[in-house]
Amino acid sequence: ETGVTQTPRHLVMGMTNKKSLKCEQHLGHNAMYWYKQSAKKPLELMFVYSLEERVENNSVPSRFSPECPNSSHLFLHLHTLQPEDSALYLCASSQDITGFNNEQFFGPGTRLTVL
Amino acid sequence: AQKITQTQPGMFVQEKEAVTLDCTYDTSDQSYGLFWYKQPSSGEMIFLIYQGSYDEQNATEGRYSLNFQKARKSANLVISASQLGDSAMYFCAMREDLFEAAGNKLTFGGGTRVLVKP
């Protein structure tokens, strides 16, 4: 595997389910990110992790719970979601969080549908 | 106010022609970076090009070039010699506070859908 991978690619869940999204980066990066892309809205940053520590929580509801066990893996645990949480969830990584051209590399995303 | 504005929701371009995608931004910072990403229908965001606020020359990467006009706060993407594979959504993004450990936060515009016609 190369780059940033995400599983599953598609997920359908009920409002009472608990599920997790997984992201893995094979780039040796120190920072990882979760983004939400809803229809007709700009991409929104949700969480930022640097060296496994959360450095940004962008006013995300507690029904989204991130976990970063090491610098290569990032999870997003989901529980009691709402239909408006249906979106494409993108994971990204970058070498660090400081510096000028700190390009973020994105995964293919998980298309989440909440029924 | 929106920090990144992309006024063109969608556009057609003929294969082999050039296309310019507009992006204007709003920031009071002196040090910032501007990025362009491509998102095909498969979903992944592909980095195309970067322009730093202190860069004196416009960035170029292959068929992509950035027309950076700092005083007008615009960072338009130019794609030359369009190919069918260029059909995708294109997003302009900005990172402010380059000297701060601000989490490398990117703010994205609403995107422009480009469809290349054969």
Side-chain angles (χ1 to χ4, degrees):
Chain A
E1 293 280 12
T2 58
V4 182
T5 58
Q6 290 186 243
T7 55
R9 293 295 309 277
H10 300 272
L11 178 63
V12 179
M13 59 186 289
M15 289 191 286
T16 58
N17 291 157
K18 289 185 179 181
K19 296 287 184 183
S20 296
L21 309 184
K22 178 183 176 182
C23 175
E24 184 173 0
Q25 58 96 0
H26 310 267
L27 301 167
H29 288 167
N30 295 318
M32 297 187 77
Y33 312 78
W34 278 118
Y35 287 88
K36 176 183 178 182
Q37 187 176 29
S38 306
K40 300 181 181 180
K41 289 180 70 176
L43 207 64
E44 301 170 83
L45 178 67
M46 300 175 72
F47 301 104
V48 180
Y49 275 83
S50 175
L51 296 171
E52 300 126 57
E53 286 195 23
R54 191 189 309 179
V55 297
E56 185 72 25
N57 178 349
N58 226 19
S59 302
V60 179
S62 59
R63 57 185 183 268
F64 294 93
S65 175
E67 179 191 1
C68 188
N70 55 63
S71 59
S72 298
H73 293 86
L74 185 65
F75 294 89
L76 188 63
H77 303 300
L78 317 171
H79 64 98
T80 58
L81 294 192
Q82 305 298 313
E84 59 265 28
D85 297 322
S86 298
L88 180 68
Y89 289 84
L90 289 161
C91 174
S93 72
S94 67
Q95 186 61 55
D96 294 292
I97 60 170
T98 58
F100 281 75
N101 184 7
N102 223 330
E103 171 194 342
Q104 294 182 24
F105 293 81
F106 285 79
T110 294
R111 175 72 62 187
L112 173 67
T113 302
V114 182
L115 301 176
Chain B
Q2 285 193 346
K3 286 189 175 265
I4 298 285
T5 302
Q6 295 180 252
T7 57
Q8 306 151 311
M11 49 197 311
F12 289 97
V13 59
Q14 199 67 42
E15 192 178 10
K16 300 180 185 177
E17 291 186 351
V19 61
T20 298
L21 308 183
D22 296 340
C23 173
T24 57
Y25 58 91
D26 181 27
T27 181
S28 56
D29 289 345
Q30 296 301 308
S31 62
Y32 52 90
L34 297 155
F35 300 76
W36 277 93
Y37 283 86
K38 171 185 178 181
Q39 187 179 39
S41 57
S42 52
E44 76 275 21
M45 300 282 279
I46 302 167
F47 167 75
L48 296 178
I49 197 167
Y50 166 82
Q51 179 85 44
S53 59
Y54 292 115
D55 294 339
E56 294 185 352
Q57 293 195 339
N58 287 343
T60 60
E61 286 286 348
R63 293 187 298 111
Y64 305 106
S65 60
L66 205 150
N67 184 1
F68 182 47
Q69 297 187 48
K70 194 170 181 178
R72 300 174 72 174
K73 293 189 175 178
S74 75
N76 298 339
L77 176 71
V78 180
I79 306 173
S80 62
S82 296
Q83 302 172 356
L84 296 178
D86 294 334
S87 295
M89 283 289 288
Y90 288 82
F91 292 93
C92 180
M94 176 173 64
R95 182 193 165 191
E96 299 173 278
D97 292 328
L98 291 183
F99 292 112
E100 303 291 327
N104 197 21
K105 290 185 288 185
L106 288 177
T107 303
F108 284 81
T112 295
R113 183 172 298 282
V114 172
L115 188 60
V116 180
K117 298 187 292 183

